[in-house]
Amino acid sequence: MAHLDEQAGLPRGALAALPLLLAPMVLGAAVLMARPGAATGTAAVLASTVAVAWYLLGGAVAVGHLARGLSARKALRAIRGEVATAADPIWMCDARGQVLFQNEAARTEFEDLTGRPVLSLIARLRADAEGQLADLTARALRVGNADLELAEGEILSLSCLPDAPLQIWSLHRAGVQPDGFELALAMEEDQPPADDFDAIPVALLRLATDGRICRANAAARHLLDGMLADEGQNLAELLEGPGRPLADWLSDMCAGRATNGTEMLRLRHPDSRQGEMRDRYFQLSLARDPAEAGRMIAVLTDASALKTLEAQFVQSQKMQAIGQLAGGVAHDFNNLLTAISGHCDLLMLKRDKGDPDYADLDQISQNANRAAALVGQLLAFSRKQTLRLETLDLRDTLADLTHLLNRLVGERVGLTITYDPALRAIRADKRQLEQVIMNLVVNARDAMPQGGDITVRTENLYLSEAMTRDQVTLPKGDYVRIIVRDHGCGIAPDHLGKIFEPFFTTKRTGEGTGLGLSTAYGIVKQTGGFIFCDSVLSEGTTFSLYFPAHARAQIAAVPAARPVPRPTPQLQTGPKATVLLVEDEAPVRAFAARALKLKGYDVLEAGSGEAALSLLEGRDGPVDIFVTDVVMPGMDGPTWVREGRRMLPSAKVIFMSGYTEDIFVDGQVPIADASFLAKPFTLTELTQMVEMQLTRPSGSDRLH
């Protein structure tokens, strides 16, 4: 009778609750015997009868089965990982022998038995399956484990206990003894692990004061990607210390002499110096081990992404500083070149072409132009150059360039240019875009000294979603892509991130200035485009340029400004007018004043905005036009012009600067009807701009 409850399908000890359920029935019967027909006695008997019937017929059975099912699944989750990786076939069953899980080895050798009774497995191995199942189960319940020998020396093993929620069946090959881990895991699923150190999801190390790793949890072993030895390894063998021996820092921390408990360390790897993998960085935080004196607990965090972000920030700061320096140098050079070329023009006005000095002056003028072109490259890098944007068809642009590009690449290099038949238009400065393409083609030619092929291809591209590359995100939309590809020597990976920096070049001294790609980068970015480089050593390099696509404007074609030979300065007397010239650079002011006076204008000079306003306040006569520098010490150009316009509302305005119109907010000249003249300018350009501004009706579009 000891197992009568289990034979009835009830949980162990379930029948022990029956006396409690029958107690109301006994009391009710006693009441009825004393007082026949009493309602209390009748109710007690009926209630007790219903309770006993529910308990025996269904309630206890259902509760017991539910409890066993939950317990079995809990135990299964605890050991499922170990079972899944086992080499021998293993089946996890509930207490009734229903297969809950089987590993890959069992699924490969036998079919999927999940949800079926384990009897179907035994039937494949032995003819008397039911008898063997009963015998195995009985023996396992008594001693915890039972084996069944099969043909060819294989053993079918069952591990279980009377109170265990799982049965673990395993098939072992001949000569291999079954592990006992299944029984231990199955029997102790409700007990907490003996040591929580390995279960913590944070990478932890237990360290001795000399840096020796005493223990590492699973998260640390995974983070260090198998580089931890079994025992006795020193942390200094893996990680480079914080500028001094790592053991010294650990010793100071353990003795309480150090206050900084967190350091950034670099992972040492045997292949890291050959460029086969990038360095990894870890943040190590130390604290004394509360469980063991003289030991340290270290928390290890992967900080590689943080170091990468830090390097990118430093690089962007460096590029921004170089850009500001280049822009400032270019501004000062433009002032000097304006004075040099301007005074050269004044001298050339006094000589004809037969004069012996005329050739020397012409050489000065031409070299000033070359210097101005170099300054333009600096401004392109700093994105402060003057761009004349127009709607371009790249097919026409490349067709115009084809002859020049073929001459540039020479006879040993082939050049192929292909177009998309339905290529869309872009907005760009044609002259500057031609410079970008020529720079890329020349670089491709130089990468193939033995000859080869260069391909220039244009195509339409639609991005259905934003594309992120090289820390840059391209918004989704329509683009026109220009691809320049060569099959040359390629670019080394450690140089690839520096190619757009100014003055960085891999060419030998005298072969390149290092401004070509930085200039191309500045022009493309200022146009609103993107430029990327892909390169493989000994295979070639591909530059990809992305420009936002535009609708083709239905306007008359206006040829872009092209470099032309410098015209001989000529002056004709113009309309009588008064010009207020405001320029803080004395040489530029002297040249501009002489040029305007030679043209026939009355010129008033001022070296600052404050001086200009004082001159206007003390003058009775009119001033027809203000010609002023933008950036000056004290009051800048737009500020004093606004004040001057209050005194002389009809005065025209010309701004001039060594920077570009980008110095204004959104590139818009802040004074109505004002024009802009970029330095360096020639005598002719200055006088023509003043004449055009004076004759232009008020309210019309401003000139450049």
Side-chain angles (χ1 to χ4, degrees):
M1 297 295 290
H3 302 290
L4 180 62
D5 48 357
E6 293 183 6
Q7 296 173 6
L10 298 174
R12 179 182 294 271
L15 293 180
L18 284 178
L20 295 176
L21 297 175
L22 291 174
M25 184 181 295
V26 174
L27 293 176
V31 171
L32 289 176
M33 290 178 63
R35 297 176 56 189
T40 303
T42 303
V45 171
L46 291 176
S48 180
T49 303
V50 171
V52 171
W54 175 85
Y55 185 82
L56 294 178
L57 295 179
V61 175
V63 171
H65 286 175
L66 178 61
R68 282 194 295 268
L70 292 175
S71 179
R73 281 164 175 75
K74 181 179 178 182
L76 177 61
R77 285 195 301 270
I79 64 172
R80 184 168 182 160
E82 287 79 4
V83 171
T85 57
D88 291 333
I90 298 177
W91 296 265
M92 311 293 294
C93 305
D94 60 14
R96 296 175 299 162
Q98 197 83 4
V99 178
L100 301 177
F101 174 76
Q102 66 183 51
N103 65 359
E104 187 62 30
R107 186 176 291 104
T108 301
E109 188 166 345
F110 302 86
E111 65 178 343
D112 191 356
L113 301 179
T114 305
R116 298 165 61 181
V118 74
L119 181 64
S120 60
L121 169 65
I122 302 175
R124 295 168 178 263
L125 304 174
R126 295 293 293 264
D128 53 339
E130 293 184 358
Q132 293 294 342
L133 176 61
D135 179 62
L136 277 173
T137 304
R139 285 190 288 129
L141 288 174
R142 288 197 302 271
V143 298
N145 184 268
D147 297 334
L148 174 63
E149 293 186 2
L150 305 174
E152 299 179 358
E154 293 181 335
I155 297 176
L156 180 66
S157 178
L158 169 63
S159 298
C160 68
L161 286 175
D163 294 326
L166 290 179
Q167 295 180 0
I168 303 178
W169 295 80
S170 55
L171 184 64
H172 304 279
R173 306 303 177 191
V176 179
Q177 294 299 320
D179 292 329
F181 79 94
E182 300 99 332
L183 181 62
L185 289 172
M187 302 307 115
E188 298 179 4
E189 77 286 350
D190 292 328
Q191 298 181 11
D195 187 357
D196 290 335
F197 185 78
D198 205 57
I200 296 176
V202 177
L204 296 179
L205 300 172
R206 275 199 170 102
L207 303 175
T209 55
D210 60 355
R212 182 171 48 86
I213 301 174
C214 301
R215 187 176 179 188
N217 69 351
R221 294 192 297 272
H222 175 74
L223 187 62
L224 292 174
D225 197 17
M227 297 187 66
L228 284 175
D230 293 335
E231 60 181 12
Q233 190 174 21
N234 197 292
L235 189 63
E237 299 175 13
L238 293 176
L239 302 174
E240 289 187 345
R244 58 173 177 154
L246 190 61
D248 293 350
W249 176 54
L250 295 175
S251 179
D252 290 346
M253 283 297 303
C254 191
R257 294 189 297 268
T259 57
N260 183 18
T262 301
E263 289 287 356
M264 190 73 70
L265 307 176
R266 187 173 70 90
L267 176 65
R268 283 180 171 174
H269 190 278
D271 296 331
S272 62
R273 300 188 185 278
Q274 279 69 41
E276 296 182 12
M277 69 171 291
R278 293 184 178 179
D279 293 336
R280 294 177 61 190
Y281 292 87
F282 295 92
Q283 181 173 293
L284 189 71
S285 301
L286 286 180
R288 295 183 183 181
D289 190 345
E292 191 170 352
R295 296 285 176 86
M296 305 292 291
I297 289 287
V299 179
L300 205 60
T301 307
D302 192 345
S304 299
L306 180 63
K307 290 293 290 185
T308 301
L309 185 62
E310 178 184 338
Q312 292 171 3
F313 177 74
V314 171
Q315 176 70 4
S316 67
Q317 292 291 93
K318 181 177 72 173
M319 295 294 284
Q320 182 179 0
I322 294 175
Q324 291 176 345
L325 173 63
V329 169
H331 172 266
D332 292 343
F333 261 89
N334 278 333
N335 279 328
L336 294 175
L337 290 172
T338 301
I340 292 171
S341 61
H343 285 90
C344 182
D345 287 346
L346 291 173
L347 289 174
M348 293 175 73
L349 284 173
K350 300 177 181 179
R351 290 166 174 79
D352 56 27
K353 293 185 178 180
D355 191 292
D357 294 333
Y358 189 88
D360 295 335
L361 293 173
D362 186 53
Q363 282 294 319
I364 295 173
S365 177
Q366 291 182 18
N367 282 282
N369 283 339
R370 292 181 59 190
L374 183 61
V375 172
Q377 286 187 300
L378 290 175
L379 285 172
F381 167 71
S382 61
R383 304 182 209 172
K384 292 181 178 179
Q385 63 175 343
T386 302
L387 293 183
R388 294 176 174 86
L389 299 181
E390 58 181 305
T391 303
L392 298 179
D393 187 330
L394 283 175
R395 294 172 294 187
D396 297 336
T397 303
L398 290 175
D400 295 340
L401 268 181
T402 300
H403 181 66
L404 176 59
L405 293 177
N406 279 316
R407 284 196 302 160
L408 286 174
V409 298
E411 297 180 355
R412 290 186 298 177
V413 176
L415 178 65
T416 303
I417 301 178
T418 59
Y419 314 96
D420 188 323
L423 194 67
R424 300 187 62 177
I426 66 171
R427 288 276 295 168
D429 184 312
K430 185 177 181 180
R431 180 172 57 86
Q432 300 289 357
L433 182 60
E434 289 174 347
Q435 180 183 346
V436 170
I437 296 173
M438 284 191 293
N439 277 338
L440 296 179
V441 170
V442 168
N443 282 345
R445 178 203 65 188
D446 294 342
M448 300 185 295
Q450 305 304 320
D453 294 315
I454 300 174
T455 302
V456 180
R457 187 173 79 249
T458 60
E459 60 187 11
N460 292 324
L461 179 68
Y462 175 72
L463 296 181
S464 57
E465 57 184 18
M467 181 181 78
T468 300
R469 177 180 172 181
D470 298 344
Q471 293 83 47
V472 176
T473 299
L474 280 70
K476 65 179 182 179
D478 291 304
Y479 292 86
V480 174
R481 180 166 61 182
I482 304 174
I483 299 174
V484 180
R485 178 180 291 117
D486 66 67
H487 301 283
C489 59
I491 303 173
D494 54 335
H495 291 162
L496 201 56
K498 304 177 182 178
I499 58 173
F500 295 121
E501 295 183 11
F503 310 113
F504 176 82
T505 179
T506 57
K507 299 179 181 179
R508 289 176 297 183
T509 303
E511 293 184 354
T513 62
L515 282 173
L517 288 179
S518 62
T519 300
Y521 179 86
I523 293 172
V524 171
K525 296 301 290 183
Q526 194 175 357
T527 307
F530 304 86
I531 181 170
F532 303 106
C533 178
D534 299 288
S535 186
V536 179
L537 281 176
S538 303
E539 294 186 12
T541 302
T542 300
F543 282 92
S544 302
L545 286 67
Y546 294 78
F547 295 95
H550 286 262
R552 207 172 298 279
Q554 301 297 324
I555 58 175
V558 178
R562 288 181 175 273
V564 295
R566 188 185 181 96
T568 301
Q570 295 179 355
L571 282 178
Q572 297 177 356
T573 303
K576 190 70 173 177
T578 301
V579 180
L580 174 55
L581 176 64
V582 184
E583 169 63 60
D584 61 308
E585 288 285 343
V588 177
R589 186 171 70 249
F591 148 66
R594 285 185 60 188
L596 293 172
K597 288 176 181 177
L598 288 173
K599 184 69 173 177
Y601 298 113
D602 290 333
V603 180
L604 306 175
E605 299 182 43
S608 65
E610 293 84 353
L613 291 177
S614 298
L615 191 152
L616 289 177
E617 291 173 353
R619 178 178 172 80
D620 296 331
V623 174
D624 299 290
I625 186 169
F626 302 151
V627 180
T628 177
D629 194 10
V630 176
V631 179
M632 296 181 292
M635 190 177 291
D636 62 17
T639 302
W640 85 258
V641 167
R642 291 190 187 95
E643 297 294 328
R645 273 283 188 94
R646 294 177 183 174
M647 294 182 257
L648 297 170
S650 61
K652 303 296 180 64
V653 180
I654 295 176
F655 288 110
M656 54 185 181
S657 178
Y659 292 117
T660 67
E661 287 178 280
D662 290 336
I663 59 176
F664 301 123
V665 177
D666 298 328
Q668 301 296 319
V669 177
I671 304 299
D673 300 330
S675 293
F676 182 81
L677 181 62
K679 298 177 182 177
F681 50 79
T682 65
L683 182 151
T684 303
E685 289 172 343
L686 172 63
T687 55
Q688 285 181 350
M689 175 67 77
V690 172
E691 182 178 354
M692 293 173 66
Q693 187 72 342
L694 286 171
T695 57
R696 183 167 59 89
S698 299
S700 61
D701 293 338
R702 61 187 176 95
L703 304 174
H704 298 278

